[in-house]
Amino acid sequence: MKLPTARAMPDAFVILFFIVLAAAISSYLFPAGWFVMVDIVDSAGNITQRIDPQQFFMTYDNAHHISLFSANDKTGLTNFAFDGMTSGDRMGSAVGVMAFILIVGGAFGVVMDTGAITQCIMAMIAKLQRSQVLLIPLLFIIFSLSGAIYGMSEEAIAFCIVLLPLFQALGYSAATVVMVTYLSTQIGFATSWMNPFSVAIAQGIAGVPLMSGAGLRIAAWFVFTVVGLIFTLRYAKKHRSTVDATLVQANDKSLNNQCSSFDILVLLCLLGVIMWVIWGVVSQGYYIPQIASQFFALALVVGLIAVIWRKRSLNQISSAFQKGASELLPAAMIVGFAKGVVLLLGGDDPQQPSILNTALHYAGQSLATLPDVTSAIVMYIFQSIMNFFVASGSGQAALTMPIMAPLSDIAGVTRQVSVLCFQFGDGLTNLVIPTSASLMGCLGVAKISYAQWLALIWRFQLLLTLMASAVILFAVITGYS
């Protein structure tokens, strides 16, 4: 069964273009603001810089008005298409994420071109006929735990590439693969009790003990994961094709003999790199540059094996890498354009004049006048909106928590609640925001348009929002700390 067409929905590039126009116009309507940073000394004598919410300044200087087609560091003008794609450095910025997507795509282009996965998938399917009912639940739980424990996100793109042929051979739709890999990781990410890239940073800025409040978060992870798994299983069953499954059952004997020693060696290389990535992220703190290098090493090793076995020539390996990268080029370009929107609004540096900083300041002032329950929900909504512009969990924590944590004191809720609001707002909206590099990368791999994804996920997103609101209300009522 096909995905909903949702013809009325524009393409992601069209959506981003109109957002760019809105950002440019807003620079003439709203002032740019910035905060003063102050040094905070902890009990161990360590000095960290944080935003001082009481020291906020604004300017209506024409230098901060936006021009879509200029780039001038002296006036603050920016070219969203160029600067968005080239901003920052390799450590998780737009240019780093774009390079990551292209390199991983090229690496798996080489792996897929060898035919090893295709050859062995059918042999695996024959053995899964009796136990495939466990396939989706086990993978979903594993990926959800990965999101909760070490913040797995961009890595979902690689797993999506690996699992897509297997799931399609079993009759499942491409959207099911995105749900099993990406949706599960974001549920784990949003309900994590120990993610070092979001929860630990937010708790440190808020001044609460690291990894504290784990009990409620673990309970939330369990409930949200079960609900997400049920949603995925229902969708997978409803949209599963019986054609491939019937074909597999009719050819069980021949399937068992298709996986050669060459195919097994390639798959072992793939498995080894995946384990290497997990080890690096968990124990060595590897991030985008290191992970990209690991998958590039995979392309080199697999390519060398294919040449030695005389399965492919060097030129064919090169072509396969280029083809794999080109298939993910649209997703990489969207990441760059989305970053350009943030730059048009002045960027996310709290010390530089930015419309984002102005929005943050006034939102903070408004929260201080609301009842505790209402203010907590508004904090959650605000964090969800901010995630569109600052999709990085650590970046959003650094930008918003210095203000949200003190405001929670004024609003009558605990700082742990403010961290929880950040966590839900940052994680759950990753399922729908076009500025999420991981989401757009997975959709690009599965060849699902952003409009199609919104058409099938919006109801579930609404359910997650209601569930998150219920957890936040419970936390406020019980004095969660």
Side-chain angles (χ1 to χ4, degrees):
M1 183 177 293
K2 295 182 178 180
L3 293 169
T5 56
R7 295 180 180 177
M9 288 292 296
D11 184 78
F13 284 98
V14 177
I15 294 174
L16 285 172
F17 177 74
F18 283 105
I19 292 175
V20 166
L21 292 181
I25 294 172
S26 69
S27 70
Y28 291 87
L29 302 177
F30 305 102
W34 67 95
F35 296 93
V36 172
M37 305 292 287
V38 296
D39 293 334
I40 303 296
V41 182
D42 60 19
S43 58
N46 299 316
I47 300 177
T48 58
Q49 280 198 325
R50 295 183 185 174
I51 292 173
D52 182 359
Q54 304 302 321
Q55 298 190 61
F56 177 77
F57 302 92
M58 294 186 297
T59 178
Y60 284 91
D61 191 338
N62 291 336
H64 300 291
H65 292 170
I66 299 297
S67 171
L68 300 182
F69 308 104
S70 300
N72 188 329
D73 293 336
K74 295 182 179 179
T75 62
L77 302 180
T78 183
N79 181 307
F80 90 98
F82 181 80
D83 290 5
M85 290 186 177
T86 59
S87 65
D89 56 29
R90 62 180 187 155
M91 296 301 293
S93 64
V95 66
V97 173
M98 291 173 65
F100 172 81
I101 291 174
L102 296 177
I103 290 175
V104 172
F108 278 97
V110 173
V111 174
M112 296 302 297
D113 184 69
T114 63
I117 291 181
T118 303
Q119 292 295 323
C120 291
I121 276 175
M122 302 307 292
M124 291 175 56
I125 293 172
K127 297 180 180 180
L128 284 172
Q129 291 304 302
R130 297 179 181 179
S131 59
Q132 62 179 272
V133 67
L134 300 176
L135 181 65
I136 291 179
L138 287 177
L139 289 177
F140 195 96
I141 293 173
I142 289 172
F143 285 125
S144 181
L145 279 173
S146 299
I149 294 173
Y150 64 91
M152 178 178 176
S153 186
E154 285 83 3
E155 299 90 341
I157 301 173
F159 287 104
C160 193
I161 297 174
V162 173
L163 293 176
L164 183 62
L166 170 61
F167 273 63
Q168 289 183 327
L170 287 170
Y172 294 112
S173 68
T176 301
V177 180
V178 178
M179 292 177 187
V180 170
T181 54
Y182 182 73
L183 184 149
S184 59
T185 60
Q186 297 314 298
I187 286 178
F189 190 94
T191 56
S192 172
W193 57 95
M194 61 176 294
N195 179 4
F197 304 114
S198 63
V199 177
I201 293 175
Q203 288 182 327
I205 294 175
V208 298
L210 297 183
M211 311 303 174
S212 60
L216 179 61
R217 288 185 170 89
I218 292 175
W221 172 82
F222 178 80
V223 174
F224 278 62
T225 299
V226 170
V227 171
L229 177 57
I230 292 174
F231 171 76
T232 301
L233 288 173
R234 291 183 61 184
Y235 181 88
K237 181 179 180 181
K238 183 178 180 181
H239 296 271
R240 187 178 183 183
S241 169
T242 59
V243 176
D244 290 333
T246 303
L247 178 64
V248 169
Q249 291 175 353
N251 295 279
D252 278 349
K253 294 182 179 180
S254 61
L255 292 176
N256 287 321
N257 299 321
Q258 290 182 346
C259 200
S260 66
S261 58
F262 167 78
D263 301 325
I264 293 175
L265 183 58
V266 171
L267 291 180
L268 287 175
C269 291
L270 176 60
L271 178 61
V273 168
I274 291 175
M275 297 301 295
W276 184 22
V277 169
I278 294 174
W279 170 81
V281 170
V282 174
S283 65
Q284 301 298 313
Y286 284 4
Y287 198 50
I288 288 177
Q290 293 81 11
I291 297 172
S293 298
Q294 290 171 312
F295 281 106
F296 186 73
L298 171 66
L300 292 177
V301 173
V302 170
L304 179 61
I305 293 173
V307 171
I308 293 175
W309 256 258
R310 297 183 179 180
K311 299 289 185 178
R312 296 291 186 274
S313 67
L314 289 175
N315 285 346
Q316 288 175 324
I317 295 298
S318 176
S319 297
F321 186 91
Q322 295 174 54
K323 181 180 178 182
S326 67
E327 289 180 350
L328 293 185
L329 180 61
M333 292 180 65
I334 287 178
V335 171
F337 285 167
K339 178 62 177 180
V341 175
V342 176
L343 295 178
L344 284 178
L345 293 173
D348 53 9
D349 186 344
Q351 298 184 85
Q352 296 297 322
S354 166
I355 296 174
L356 283 181
N357 289 334
T358 301
L360 184 63
H361 170 70
Y362 282 110
Q365 286 189 330
S366 300
L367 282 178
T369 64
L370 298 175
D372 53 358
V373 173
T374 305
S375 63
I377 297 300
V378 173
M379 289 171 69
Y380 167 47
I381 296 173
F382 176 75
Q383 294 284 13
S384 299
I385 295 173
M386 284 297 295
N387 194 43
F388 179 91
F389 300 102
V390 188
S392 166
S394 56
Q396 187 177 341
L399 182 62
T400 62
M401 288 311 300
I403 293 179
M404 290 301 162
L407 283 174
S408 65
D409 300 333
I410 301 174
V413 299
T414 65
R415 294 196 171 196
Q416 194 74 263
V417 170
S418 69
V419 175
L420 189 66
C421 293
F422 152 76
Q423 194 175 343
F424 283 144
D426 171 51
L428 295 179
T429 48
N430 285 334
L431 296 177
V432 293
I433 59 172
T435 51
S436 169
S438 304
L439 172 61
M440 301 313 297
C442 288
L443 294 182
V445 169
K447 295 181 174 59
I448 300 173
S449 72
Y450 179 66
Q452 289 176 319
W453 176 252
L454 279 184
L456 70 90
I457 203 67
W458 73 268
R459 292 181 181 84
F460 182 65
Q461 179 68 48
L462 179 60
L463 174 61
L464 291 179
T465 301
L466 294 175
M467 291 174 60
S469 299
V471 175
I472 292 172
L473 291 177
F474 175 81
V476 173
I477 293 172
T478 59
Y480 177 54
S481 61

